[in-house]
Amino acid sequence: MSDSQPIQNSVVYGSMFANTSRFSIHGGTFIVTSKDEREKIQKWLNAPNCATNFQTADDKRTEGTGQWILDHSEYKKWKQSPGLLWIQGKAGSGKTILITTIIGDLKKGAPDNVWYHYFDSRDNTGQKSTFRGFLLSLLDWTGANSTSIHPVLQELFDQCNRQGLTGSPPTVKALENALKEVFQTISGGYMVLDAMDECSEPFKVVQ
């Protein structure tokens, strides 16, 4: 049994998986992965790092900035019964700071179920403004963390290995299918997107 093989209805002793820090449950399936395996999969996925956008915007915030949106009745209503909340504003009006304020507020109540993406045409990797980059970002948020890999992401990685495509990126279609499967195993959460006007394929995102 490899240390990344799904385990069902098994008794597992700590000494058997010395390189594993803990177990995570996704849809009733245990996936045990070593730190090296997780890092290998995340490196292969090569998702854009939107945490840097969040941190940059958050560092610019002053105390109380954006509090008005958190107190707004429409925001409170949306937070209790999530659907679509669309915020529009002119370029340079502070929407990114506002979105960052919202993300910070949501993370206080659901730290593991807030997924965000900043569409950024200034990104030197060219990924953050694309539909593909958006999919990669969400799959990285929902399919991998510091302790585990979601079975769907593990299977996508294994499929590429079996097909002799190690190191090759997954197709957009494969990413779409994987993300749909992952979301089917998640009970709920918040998805926050910034700067849709900087997305090169916005209609694909909102479909």
Side-chain angles (χ1 to χ4, degrees):
M1 181 185 297
S2 68
D3 63 354
S4 61
Q5 181 178 348
I7 301 172
Q8 294 179 310
N9 302 321
S10 300
V11 177
V12 181
Y13 296 94
S15 59
M16 293 174 63
F17 299 96
N19 294 326
T20 304
S21 58
R22 70 180 71 172
F23 298 97
S24 290
I25 302 175
H26 294 283
T29 301
F30 285 82
I31 289 291
V32 183
T33 53
S34 68
K35 179 181 178 182
D36 289 344
E37 179 73 2
R38 289 193 302 274
E39 289 179 349
K40 181 168 66 174
I41 292 174
Q42 288 183 294
K43 183 178 180 180
W44 164 79
L45 192 62
N46 192 30
N49 181 13
C50 287
T52 57
N53 296 73
F54 173 84
Q55 195 58 58
T56 298
D58 195 49
D59 288 343
K60 293 179 180 178
R61 291 181 63 247
T62 56
E63 188 68 29
T65 300
Q67 183 61 41
W68 68 269
I69 190 68
L70 306 185
D71 295 333
H72 200 287
S73 60
E74 286 300 316
Y75 174 75
K76 290 181 178 180
K77 186 190 304 181
W78 170 80
K79 192 175 176 181
Q80 293 300 318
S81 302
L84 176 64
L85 179 66
W86 191 282
I87 300 175
Q88 290 181 295
K90 296 180 180 179
S93 61
K95 295 188 301 298
T96 294
I97 301 297
L98 199 62
I99 289 297
T100 300
T101 300
I102 289 173
I103 293 171
D105 179 61
L106 295 174
K107 288 173 70 175
K108 291 177 183 177
D112 297 325
N113 291 81
V114 179
W115 316 292
Y116 57 84
H117 183 78
Y118 289 77
F119 290 103
D120 186 356
S121 58
R122 297 165 297 179
D123 172 49
N124 57 18
T125 69
Q127 287 201 92
K128 291 181 180 178
S129 61
T130 67
F131 177 59
R132 178 186 181 81
F134 161 71
L135 294 175
L136 288 168
S137 180
L138 285 188
L139 190 55
D140 190 41
W141 278 119
T142 58
N145 57 43
S146 61
T147 61
S148 63
I149 293 293
H150 194 285
V152 173
L153 180 53
Q154 180 74 56
E155 177 60 22
L156 183 61
F157 176 74
D158 291 342
Q159 281 179 356
C160 284
N161 279 338
R162 287 196 295 269
Q163 295 169 3
L165 299 175
T166 304
S168 298
T171 65
V172 167
K173 188 63 177 177
L175 290 172
E176 287 184 286
N177 291 338
L179 198 55
K180 288 177 182 177
E181 288 188 56
V182 169
F183 275 124
Q184 287 175 357
T185 68
I186 297 174
S187 59
Y190 299 93
M191 184 189 303
V192 185
L193 309 179
D194 179 55
M196 282 286 290
D197 57 322
E198 295 188 35
C199 176
S200 60
E201 302 167 288
F203 294 107
K204 288 186 178 181
V205 174
V206 298
Q207 282 180 348

